[in-house]
Amino acid sequence: KNEVEQSPQNLTAQEGEFITINCSYSVGISALHWLQQHPGGGIVSLFMLSSGKKKHGRLIATINIQEKHSSLHITASHPRDSAVYICAVESRKRAGNQFYFGTGTSLTVIP
Amino acid sequence: DAGVIQSPRHEVTEMGQEVTLRCKPISGHNSLFWYRQTMMRGLELLIYFNNNVPIDDSGMPEDRFSAKMPNASFSTLKIQPSEPRDSAVYFCASSYFTIAGEGHNEQFFGPGTRLTVL
């Protein structure tokens, strides 16, 4: 069983729709990261959060520590949001933090 | 700042050859990460350094892979000898890590090196 599970694996939306991508994890957490990878291959860090909620433009990330669950929301989606979104959990260990990655959610926003 | 710099951007080599990938992190960052990405396995963390010291190398696939960080502004990932299954995109990322913090701050990724081993 993977330590980090993302859903859905693939998502197609119409421009303007509200989008939610989910991430569940089974390990202890120091921080959770949301990454975005565009079709060209570049990877950008969107959020790092350990509690509550963060907002950046049309993107909102939330985390529920008790339920071991995080969501990434995109409001008023746009074709340029088409990308793969990866959830990564950082877990504190004695010798240093360990990272676990979800398999990614491929989002396509249609004009 | 120019961001994380990786070289080369593309590398094509023959099986058995030595491959060296290079990374220059963002100035002031004290953590550096090496990742590998393939279609089959997705994004995998190979190794990361804090303050030039390797912290977790459990993701390094085997002894053919080695990574060094001789100073705060340079790191290498070496594969010797290379095999076709090493073909992938290798990303380097850097961030700032505070001991008192909960985890690593936002990671900044380099453009990646696309490695093809024939």
Side-chain angles (χ1 to χ4, degrees):
Chain A
K1 184 183 185 300
N2 292 334
E3 290 85 355
V4 179
E5 298 277 357
Q6 279 186 244
S7 63
Q9 278 192 308
N10 297 284
L11 181 58
T12 300
Q14 291 287 332
E15 182 173 357
E17 284 187 9
F18 180 85
I19 289 164
T20 296
I21 299 171
N22 296 298
C23 175
S24 297
Y25 55 91
S26 58
V27 293
I29 189 171
S30 294
L32 185 142
H33 301 261
W34 281 102
L35 308 175
Q36 178 192 55
Q37 185 169 30
H38 277 283
I43 299 177
V44 174
S45 176
L46 297 175
F47 295 103
M48 188 279 286
L49 66 166
S50 54
S51 65
K53 179 170 80 171
K54 287 191 176 180
K55 184 176 189 292
H56 185 256
R58 296 180 293 106
L59 301 178
I60 303 167
T62 64
I63 188 168
N64 185 318
I65 301 296
Q66 286 72 31
E67 295 186 3
K68 295 194 170 184
H69 181 268
S70 175
S71 293
L72 177 68
H73 305 285
I74 304 175
T75 61
S77 60
H78 190 276
R80 64 175 175 264
D81 298 325
S82 298
V84 175
Y85 293 84
I86 301 169
C87 172
V89 169
E90 187 174 357
S91 183
R92 180 169 290 175
K93 305 293 181 186
R94 180 172 298 180
N97 290 5
Q98 193 160 359
F99 289 80
Y100 304 89
F101 292 87
T103 54
T105 295
S106 179
L107 170 66
T108 302
V109 180
I110 300 171
Chain B
D1 201 315
V4 176
I5 299 172
Q6 288 187 249
S7 65
R9 294 293 305 276
H10 301 272
E11 177 81 21
V12 180
T13 191
E14 292 187 344
M15 183 174 65
Q17 295 297 308
E18 176 181 302
V19 175
T20 299
L21 310 182
R22 296 173 176 81
C23 177
K24 177 178 168 55
I26 290 174
S27 178
H29 282 184
N30 58 1
S31 290
L32 183 140
F33 305 78
W34 281 104
Y35 293 91
R36 178 174 67 176
Q37 187 176 42
T38 61
M39 288 293 292
M40 290 294 294
R41 299 173 67 91
L43 193 65
E44 303 173 278
L45 178 64
L46 300 177
I47 185 172
Y48 81 89
F49 297 82
N50 280 353
N51 297 312
N52 312 338
V53 176
I55 300 300
D56 182 2
D57 65 354
S58 59
M60 295 286 264
E62 49 197 272
D63 291 345
R64 297 185 297 107
F65 285 68
S66 62
K68 294 182 179 179
M69 192 164 187
N71 57 63
S73 59
F74 183 67
S75 177
T76 59
L77 177 68
K78 185 178 293 186
I79 308 172
Q80 179 185 25
S82 58
E83 297 182 3
R85 60 192 168 120
D86 301 330
S87 298
V89 180
Y90 291 82
F91 289 98
C92 175
S94 71
S95 73
Y96 186 73
F97 175 77
T98 54
I99 295 175
E102 290 296 324
H104 289 84
N105 288 312
E106 176 186 6
Q107 293 186 31
F108 292 80
F109 284 76
T113 295
R114 182 174 296 277
L115 173 65
T116 302
V117 183
L118 303 173

